[in-house]
Amino acid sequence: MGRLGGGGWEGGGGARGGGGAGAGPPPPPPLAGMSDGFPAPAPEPFELTLPASRHTLRGVRYRGSSSARRWILLHGWLDNAGSFERLVPRLFAEGIADDVAALDMSGHGRSAHRGNAYHAVDFASEVLFTASQLYGADASFSLLGHSLGAGVALIAAGGAPERVSRLVMLEGFGLHHKGSLTAAEQFARANNKLPSGRLTTFASVEDACQRRAERNVVPDPYFTVDSARDLAKRGVREAPGGGYSWSTDPWLLLPTPLYMHKECQLSFAQHVAAPTLVLLTRDGVAKSILNAGPISRLGLTNSLVIMGTTVVHTAAALGLRLAPPLLAYLGLMGPAARLTSVLRRATFRLDVVSTACQRLSAIRNRTIITLDSGGHHPHIANPAKIADVVARWVGRSNGGGTRTS
């Protein structure tokens, strides 16, 4: 699997207590085969079913004798609650969790399919619905989200700051946005085609895992066939015509009709009241940002990085608007096309960097920790390291303040 490197400072801010009712009925019998053998004092997991107004959400819940330290875990795009089965026992072993619900967001794992376009705001609403059903409408809880789940958790924490006591964003800065497309262009692009309805089938579950390991959404050398097996337990089913297929709703593979604009995401970040841990790896989704010389040395929330990337992005965007038309007017069509391609890529990357920096800076009580390695799924590759870092941060998060590593 490979070993996570060290790196990072553990710190943060104040927390709020858990309170509220909603313990719910006694848990049903435990599921078999949901533990990776780690000898931790975690309760046996059981299947979680939450009938919503139009579809059913499912997940896995680990409920101890107390509900004081509640966590809801949110997976990445095309993953499912199974991605956390190695991490959860460690959270209990570290003494920072009493009641953990790992959710299959709609369209993923065993949750129902919407059968139409998806948006992160809908996922965030599902999180608050889940918390109300499990703990009560006024009870507080902590959130840990990975990748897409980190962006969803940010929306939920900013939209309901009085309910979220801690926020952990693992390998995620928030949601992606397509700065090169207008809202109208994005809507048109998303509605150009519908899912084909054809499922990719595999001869065996192992073949399905092999394909997932080879074609992971984010290139990740730590994500192996064994990692994919964690997802297959909830994400692979028998296909109607024989064989096996991943259970993901095909609509998730299509572009969303409307991306959340970066100003909207900035607003959610500004309203987060909970102590927040942003936990990244240098070889994960942030690789292109964290390995970029001055940014790596100065940090994502350094004012020089924010100002510099914003200025350069503005200059590149202006160049994209003015230079290619001028070259085309002079008859230099080839250079105009090449320059357009270069400036488009540069503008998009700089926009991603500057937006991520501004968004993270807007979270008032934040801690940013960067591990030397671990890939995009460090909670699968080395769950003990991730649990240790989170536990140290939780233990020090009563001191307040902001710190970046």
Side-chain angles (χ1 to χ4, degrees):
M1 278 289 183
R3 185 175 176 275
L4 288 181
W9 178 94
E10 297 83 20
R16 292 190 299 279
L31 295 177
M34 288 298 296
S35 174
D36 66 350
F38 180 70
E44 286 292 333
F46 61 90
E47 187 72 11
L48 180 65
T49 302
L50 297 167
S53 58
R54 288 181 296 175
H55 61 279
T56 298
L57 297 174
R58 298 186 186 277
V60 182
R61 189 177 184 184
Y62 304 72
R63 198 170 86 197
S65 58
S66 170
S67 292
R69 293 168 294 189
R70 311 180 185 98
W71 289 85
I72 294 179
L73 311 185
L74 306 173
H75 57 77
W77 184 54
L78 305 186
D79 290 351
N80 57 59
S83 66
F84 295 111
E85 72 166 38
R86 306 186 192 201
L87 177 64
V88 173
R90 272 87 177 178
L91 297 179
F92 278 89
E94 293 286 352
I96 59 172
D98 298 310
D99 190 343
V100 176
L103 186 65
D104 287 338
M105 292 188 286
S106 58
H108 298 81
R110 296 178 183 173
S111 285
H113 294 184
R114 289 183 180 273
N116 52 35
Y118 286 82
H119 198 284
V121 169
D122 299 323
F123 292 139
S125 295
E126 291 175 359
V127 172
L128 299 180
F129 168 80
T130 298
S132 296
Q133 292 295 305
L134 296 182
Y135 313 130
D138 298 323
S140 62
F141 56 94
S142 297
L143 283 172
L144 185 153
H146 166 247
S147 195
L148 167 65
V152 172
L154 180 65
I155 295 173
E162 73 286 354
R163 300 187 64 186
V164 179
S165 55
R166 280 191 176 88
L167 170 63
V168 178
M169 299 173 64
L170 177 61
E171 272 290 287
F173 303 109
L175 304 174
H176 293 296
H177 67 279
K178 299 294 183 183
S180 60
L181 295 178
T182 65
E185 290 170 338
Q186 177 62 29
F187 182 82
R189 174 173 174 259
N191 285 279
N192 272 341
K193 65 176 182 178
L194 298 175
S196 65
R198 296 190 302 271
L199 296 174
T200 301
T201 57
F202 304 92
S204 66
V205 174
E206 194 69 8
D207 287 345
C209 293
Q210 182 70 42
R211 175 67 67 86
R212 175 60 197 267
E214 293 171 351
R215 301 185 181 182
N216 201 34
V217 176
V218 176
D220 186 350
Y222 297 89
F223 191 90
T224 64
V225 174
D226 188 51
S227 306
R229 292 189 188 110
D230 291 357
L231 305 181
K233 294 172 186 177
R234 303 186 62 79
V236 173
R237 63 188 179 187
E238 293 185 5
Y244 298 87
S245 65
W246 288 94
S247 62
T248 304
D249 189 345
W251 279 89
L252 285 166
L253 303 175
L254 298 183
T256 184
L258 187 65
Y259 281 100
M260 181 177 287
H261 199 270
K262 54 188 177 183
E263 277 75 17
C264 294
Q265 295 194 60
L266 185 62
S267 175
F268 282 108
Q270 291 168 338
H271 283 82
V272 172
T276 300
L277 171 62
V278 181
L279 183 51
L280 310 170
T281 70
R282 295 193 186 278
D283 53 2
V285 73
K287 181 177 180 180
S288 61
I289 297 176
L290 297 179
N291 288 347
I295 295 178
S296 179
R297 290 192 293 271
L298 293 174
L300 284 167
T301 56
N302 185 283
S303 58
L304 291 176
V305 171
I306 296 173
M307 182 174 65
T309 54
T310 302
V311 169
V312 176
H313 169 258
T314 302
L318 183 62
L320 180 61
R321 179 173 293 188
L322 298 179
L326 177 60
L327 291 176
Y329 176 77
L330 296 175
L332 303 173
M333 304 304 292
R338 289 193 292 273
L339 182 60
T340 297
S341 177
V342 170
L343 287 176
R344 226 171 238 161
R345 289 196 301 271
T347 301
F348 177 73
R349 180 176 176 182
L350 287 165
D351 190 32
V352 170
V353 174
S354 63
T355 299
C357 293
Q358 293 175 46
R359 187 181 302 147
L360 295 182
S361 297
I363 301 174
R364 288 166 289 174
N365 193 351
R366 67 183 180 272
T367 299
I368 301 177
I369 297 177
T370 305
L371 301 174
D372 292 335
S373 61
H376 187 51
H377 290 79
H379 55 308
I380 298 179
N382 196 334
K385 178 67 177 179
I386 298 304
D388 176 67
V389 172
V390 173
R392 289 174 182 268
W393 168 74
V394 169
R396 299 182 64 171
S397 63
N398 292 325
T402 297
R403 188 69 177 264
T404 300
S405 168

